[in-house]
Amino acid sequence: MLETQPEFNLKPLKIYGGWHIHFNHFSNLEPDNDYPKEDVCLCFTEDISYFTYGDERSKKCGMPSYFIDLGFTEGLYLNGKKGFFQLVVAQGDFIKGIVYEYFISRSTDEIQDKINTYIQLISTGKITKYKGLTFDGEAIEGFAYNDFLFSATEGIKERFHRERYF
């Protein structure tokens, strides 16, 4: 184990005005790297980044709020560097709303591309052209939101490419 933990740069993201960054630890370190897993496991936690758009005032005016949540499958990194990033983009909150994307990948570039795309779509209001999957976490007792929100918007990236939002 290293005497001092290695430091990594944050992955650059294109954040528009109106976003609240609750925390962001999304680094440029790929899961498949040459560092001992014990020295870099803090880069691969369940809570890597959490951003919101829209506040209480906008909710009172009937405007939607959105969130982008990024994590790494908990506990798997220390088990042979297994696991993947898990990205959720939704309107509402973790209990009830509309999910636009549930995406998994081991590539920081793919995750970066998804986050930047959704920040742009949400910030410009273009997200309203797309339908997501409505969910209500209270409807299924004992299940977390991500236990039943797999592939909510299959093919959304292809639609965005066709409409040139990238």
Side-chain angles (χ1 to χ4, degrees):
M1 199 170 199
L2 296 175
E3 289 186 24
T4 60
Q5 296 295 318
E7 292 187 25
F8 304 99
N9 293 324
L10 291 178
K11 197 78 168 168
L13 299 172
K14 298 173 186 172
I15 307 290
Y16 288 55
W19 284 90
H20 180 76
I21 301 169
H22 297 267
F23 54 88
N24 181 27
H25 309 290
F26 183 36
S27 74
N28 61 357
L29 182 65
E30 296 292 333
D32 296 316
N33 59 68
D34 294 330
Y35 293 97
K37 60 189 174 196
E38 297 81 11
D39 293 338
V40 296
C41 65
L42 293 178
C43 294
F44 303 100
T45 65
E46 183 179 7
D47 296 316
I48 296 174
S49 298
Y50 183 66
F51 312 129
T52 56
Y53 186 83
D55 56 15
E56 290 301 318
R57 191 173 53 219
S58 62
K59 288 180 194 176
K60 289 178 183 177
C61 296
M63 298 175 68
S65 61
Y66 298 88
F67 70 85
I68 296 176
D69 182 43
L70 176 63
F72 200 84
T73 51
E74 188 177 1
L76 294 176
Y77 193 76
L78 286 173
N79 184 14
K81 294 188 177 182
K82 296 177 185 174
F84 47 82
F85 293 103
Q86 177 176 279
L87 178 70
V88 177
V89 179
Q91 177 185 330
D93 56 34
F94 287 107
I95 303 298
K96 184 177 182 180
I98 299 170
V99 68
Y100 289 98
E101 186 80 52
Y102 180 89
F103 182 72
I104 59 174
S105 176
R106 286 184 59 84
S107 166
T108 60
D109 288 339
E110 287 181 356
I111 295 295
Q112 177 188 35
D113 182 51
K114 289 277 188 185
I115 292 173
N116 284 335
T117 297
Y118 278 103
I119 285 174
Q120 178 188 13
L121 289 171
I122 291 167
S123 300
T124 60
K126 293 179 180 176
I127 193 75
T128 60
K129 294 181 179 183
Y130 301 96
K131 293 185 179 181
L133 175 68
T134 301
F135 67 97
D136 184 347
E138 296 172 352
I140 305 176
E141 189 174 328
F143 285 85
Y145 76 97
N146 59 347
D147 289 336
F148 57 93
L149 290 179
F150 299 104
S151 302
T153 54
E154 189 173 325
I156 198 167
K157 185 174 182 178
E158 288 75 20
R159 290 194 307 251
F160 289 158
H161 276 297
R162 283 195 303 271
E163 297 181 22
R164 301 182 191 275
Y165 288 127
F166 281 104

